[in-house]
Short mmCIF file of all heavy atoms in Angstrom, two decimals:
data_model
loop_
_atom_site.label_atom_id
_atom_site.label_comp_id
_atom_site.label_asym_id
_atom_site.label_seq_id
_atom_site.Cartn_x
_atom_site.Cartn_y
_atom_site.Cartn_z
N HIS N 101 8.04 18.73 113.79
CA HIS N 101 8.65 17.39 113.87
C HIS N 101 8.15 16.52 112.72
O HIS N 101 6.97 16.53 112.41
CB HIS N 101 8.31 16.73 115.22
CG HIS N 101 8.62 15.27 115.25
ND1 HIS N 101 9.89 14.80 115.04
CD2 HIS N 101 7.84 14.18 115.42
CE1 HIS N 101 9.87 13.46 115.10
NE2 HIS N 101 8.63 13.07 115.33
N HIS N 103 7.44 13.15 111.75
CA HIS N 103 7.17 11.90 112.44
C HIS N 103 7.45 10.69 111.54
O HIS N 103 6.85 10.54 110.48
CB HIS N 103 5.71 11.90 112.90
CG HIS N 103 5.30 10.71 113.70
ND1 HIS N 103 4.76 10.80 114.97
CD2 HIS N 103 5.33 9.40 113.41
CE1 HIS N 103 4.48 9.59 115.41
NE2 HIS N 103 4.81 8.71 114.48
N VAL N 114 12.67 19.19 117.71
CA VAL N 114 12.30 19.17 119.12
C VAL N 114 12.93 20.39 119.81
O VAL N 114 14.15 20.53 119.81
CB VAL N 114 12.75 17.87 119.81
CG1 VAL N 114 12.33 17.87 121.28
CG2 VAL N 114 12.16 16.66 119.09
N TRP N 141 4.08 11.82 108.55
CA TRP N 141 3.34 13.05 108.81
C TRP N 141 4.21 14.00 109.61
O TRP N 141 5.34 13.66 109.98
CB TRP N 141 2.00 12.76 109.48
CG TRP N 141 2.01 12.15 110.85
CD1 TRP N 141 2.55 10.95 111.22
CD2 TRP N 141 1.42 12.70 112.04
NE1 TRP N 141 2.33 10.72 112.55
CE2 TRP N 141 1.64 11.77 113.08
CE3 TRP N 141 0.72 13.88 112.33
CZ2 TRP N 141 1.19 12.00 114.39
CZ3 TRP N 141 0.26 14.09 113.61
CH2 TRP N 141 0.50 13.15 114.63
N HIS N 143 4.06 17.47 112.54
CA HIS N 143 3.21 18.22 113.47
C HIS N 143 4.07 19.10 114.34
O HIS N 143 5.28 18.92 114.44
CB HIS N 143 2.35 17.27 114.32
CG HIS N 143 3.11 16.24 115.09
ND1 HIS N 143 3.72 16.51 116.30
CD2 HIS N 143 3.39 14.93 114.84
CE1 HIS N 143 4.31 15.41 116.75
NE2 HIS N 143 4.14 14.43 115.88
N HIS N 145 5.84 20.42 117.55
CA HIS N 145 6.38 19.71 118.72
C HIS N 145 6.65 20.67 119.87
O HIS N 145 7.39 20.38 120.80
CB HIS N 145 7.65 18.93 118.34
CG HIS N 145 7.75 17.61 119.02
ND1 HIS N 145 8.05 17.46 120.35
CD2 HIS N 145 7.56 16.35 118.55
CE1 HIS N 145 8.07 16.17 120.68
NE2 HIS N 145 7.77 15.47 119.60
N GLY N 282 -0.81 8.78 115.91
CA GLY N 282 0.55 8.70 115.37
C GLY N 282 0.71 7.59 114.35
O GLY N 282 1.62 7.62 113.53
N HIS N 430 5.99 6.10 120.87
CA HIS N 430 6.68 6.58 119.66
C HIS N 430 8.14 6.89 119.96
O HIS N 430 8.45 7.55 120.95
CB HIS N 430 5.97 7.84 119.14
CG HIS N 430 6.67 8.50 117.99
ND1 HIS N 430 7.16 7.80 116.91
CD2 HIS N 430 6.97 9.81 117.74
CE1 HIS N 430 7.74 8.65 116.07
NE2 HIS N 430 7.63 9.86 116.55
N HIS N 432 11.41 8.70 118.17
CA HIS N 432 11.85 9.52 117.03
C HIS N 432 13.07 8.89 116.35
O HIS N 432 13.88 8.23 117.00
CB HIS N 432 12.27 10.91 117.52
CG HIS N 432 11.14 11.81 117.90
ND1 HIS N 432 11.25 13.18 117.85
CD2 HIS N 432 9.88 11.57 118.32
CE1 HIS N 432 10.11 13.73 118.25
NE2 HIS N 432 9.26 12.77 118.55
N MET N 475 13.49 11.74 121.00
CA MET N 475 12.35 11.67 121.91
C MET N 475 11.74 10.28 121.91
O MET N 475 11.72 9.58 120.88
CB MET N 475 11.27 12.68 121.50
CG MET N 475 11.68 14.13 121.59
SD MET N 475 12.16 14.67 123.23
CE MET N 475 10.59 14.63 124.07
N HIS N 477 8.19 8.82 123.56
CA HIS N 477 7.03 9.30 124.33
C HIS N 477 5.73 8.67 123.88
O HIS N 477 5.64 8.07 122.81
CB HIS N 477 6.92 10.83 124.24
CG HIS N 477 6.67 11.38 122.85
ND1 HIS N 477 5.41 11.52 122.32
CD2 HIS N 477 7.52 11.84 121.90
CE1 HIS N 477 5.50 12.05 121.10
NE2 HIS N 477 6.78 12.25 120.82
N HIS N 479 2.03 9.01 122.40
CA HIS N 479 1.51 9.96 121.42
C HIS N 479 0.09 10.43 121.72
O HIS N 479 -0.54 11.09 120.89
CB HIS N 479 1.62 9.42 119.99
CG HIS N 479 2.11 10.47 119.04
ND1 HIS N 479 1.34 11.56 118.68
CD2 HIS N 479 3.28 10.62 118.39
CE1 HIS N 479 2.02 12.31 117.83
NE2 HIS N 479 3.21 11.77 117.65
CU1 C2O P 1 4.74 12.49 116.32
CU2 C2O P 1 7.40 13.37 119.27
O1 C2O P 1 6.03 12.90 117.83
#
Side-chain angles (χ1 to χ4, degrees):
H101 167 60
H103 183 123
V114 181
W141 64 300
H143 56 82
H145 218 287
H430 174 46
H432 286 206
M475 296 300 290
H477 64 87
H479 223 291

